[in-house]
Amino acid sequence: MNKIIVENLSITYSDGVESLFEISLQIPANQITALIGPSGGGKSTFLRALNRLNDLADVANVTGKILIDDVDILDPALDVIALRRKVGIVFSRPLPLPLTVFQNVSYGLELMGEKRKNVLNDAVERALRLAELWDEVKDRLGDPAYSLSGGQQQRLCLARTLSLQPEIIMLDEPTSALDPVSTAKIETSLLELKKDFTIIIAPHNTQQAGRIADQVAFFLQGKLIEFSSAEEIFTRPKDIKTQDYISGKFG
């Protein structure tokens, strides 16, 4: 079952630079889809399009369709706030709020008006468990979030997204600044999370895509060169440019 269907998506920035050219692909539910390709290829722009964060950028023109559960999210009448609750994003650099560990996770719910302590407690514990962080911070919930290690802060940001119970989780190079142990913990968490969520990740290297992805999309200079199962992309790519990128000839 496809969670997201993208049809002929093109995005042009106000300076005339066209970041995406006629992108069409179908992203299955409850799988990990990885976006790979050199820097500047359009991966981040594509991610931001999926929850309308490009609305906040200097974008001149967007054409095509993005259907999530058969609803075109590019419709001007769409409730963008509701969309961003449904489609959460975690960025490459962990950005915890200047609050406690607990408050970082509960912040979104409290902003929406949830005040019941038992509901907040349950939501925070659930989100931290899903992010594979609960056992490490359950006795430190009142500590400043900035007292956590870099890897813990990144998982805290993931928990903050999970607390709002999105259906889709997007991650833009979430482990690019982390050590191998922290990276492994996030990858383990994502492999568990896909049972309940649709996950789209722009990993910081192709090796990570090979470890965790079910589907892989290769972006190059704003174009989707190839989209297939991870096994096919890494063992039987159809396009020579995909083969060259994976083999390290450029990128």
Side-chain angles (χ1 to χ4, degrees):
M1 177 181 174
N2 292 316
K3 185 71 172 177
I4 304 170
I5 299 174
V6 180
E7 299 177 351
N8 302 314
L9 175 67
S10 294
I11 296 178
T12 305
Y13 287 103
S14 297
D15 58 8
V17 176
E18 187 162 11
S19 180
L20 293 178
F21 302 84
E22 298 290 321
I23 305 297
S24 295
L25 76 166
Q26 299 179 347
I27 297 177
N30 300 108
Q31 291 192 16
I32 298 177
T33 297
L35 315 179
I36 65 171
S39 178
K43 305 184 299 295
S44 294
T45 297
F46 180 77
L47 284 178
R48 291 195 299 268
L50 297 181
N51 70 350
R52 296 270 299 268
L53 280 179
N54 284 327
D55 290 6
L56 307 176
D58 197 15
V59 172
N61 193 41
V62 179
T63 59
K65 290 184 178 181
I66 302 175
L67 305 175
I68 297 181
D69 294 330
D70 297 322
V71 174
D72 186 359
I73 68 163
L74 298 181
D75 183 341
L78 185 85
D79 183 343
V80 177
I81 300 300
L83 171 67
R84 291 176 186 156
R85 182 176 180 182
K86 183 173 184 174
V87 186
I89 187 166
V90 178
F91 295 102
S92 57
R93 181 182 176 186
L95 294 171
L97 302 170
L99 303 168
T100 67
V101 172
F102 183 96
Q103 291 168 330
N104 261 266
V105 184
S106 69
Y107 181 80
L109 292 171
E110 293 187 66
L111 203 61
M112 293 167 51
E114 183 58 68
K115 301 298 182 186
R116 292 170 294 178
K117 193 65 176 176
N118 63 317
V119 173
L120 294 174
N121 287 341
D122 289 346
V124 168
E125 179 175 347
R126 175 182 178 275
L128 289 171
R129 285 189 182 278
L130 286 172
E132 301 285 339
L133 188 57
W134 173 253
D135 289 339
E136 297 173 39
V137 301
K138 62 184 178 182
D139 297 322
R140 302 177 59 189
L141 297 178
D143 291 357
Y146 281 103
S147 68
L148 301 181
S149 70
Q152 289 173 329
Q153 287 184 25
Q154 188 63 292
R155 281 179 285 149
L156 181 67
C157 292
L158 176 58
R160 190 169 68 210
T161 296
L162 291 168
S163 69
L164 296 175
Q165 296 185 310
E167 297 177 22
I168 299 166
I169 304 169
M170 305 189 298
L171 305 102
D172 194 358
E173 298 190 358
T175 62
S176 60
L178 302 184
D179 61 87
V181 173
S182 297
T183 295
K185 287 181 178 180
I186 286 183
E187 291 178 0
T188 298
S189 178
L190 294 178
L191 289 169
E192 285 296 315
L193 288 170
K194 75 175 184 178
K195 297 174 184 176
D196 299 307
F197 304 91
T198 299
I199 298 173
I200 307 168
I201 181 171
H204 73 285
N205 58 46
T206 55
Q207 290 80 11
Q208 184 169 64
R211 288 192 297 268
I212 67 174
D214 300 293
Q215 309 285 331
V216 175
F218 173 48
F219 283 76
L220 181 65
Q221 296 178 329
K223 297 179 181 179
L224 177 63
I225 305 300
E226 192 166 346
F227 179 61
S228 188
S229 69
E231 180 184 5
E232 289 189 359
I233 290 288
F234 288 112
T235 62
R236 301 183 299 279
K238 294 182 174 64
D239 194 290
I240 186 63
K241 291 188 285 291
T242 309
Q243 174 65 47
D244 288 347
Y245 178 74
I246 289 173
S247 63
K249 290 185 179 180
F250 70 95

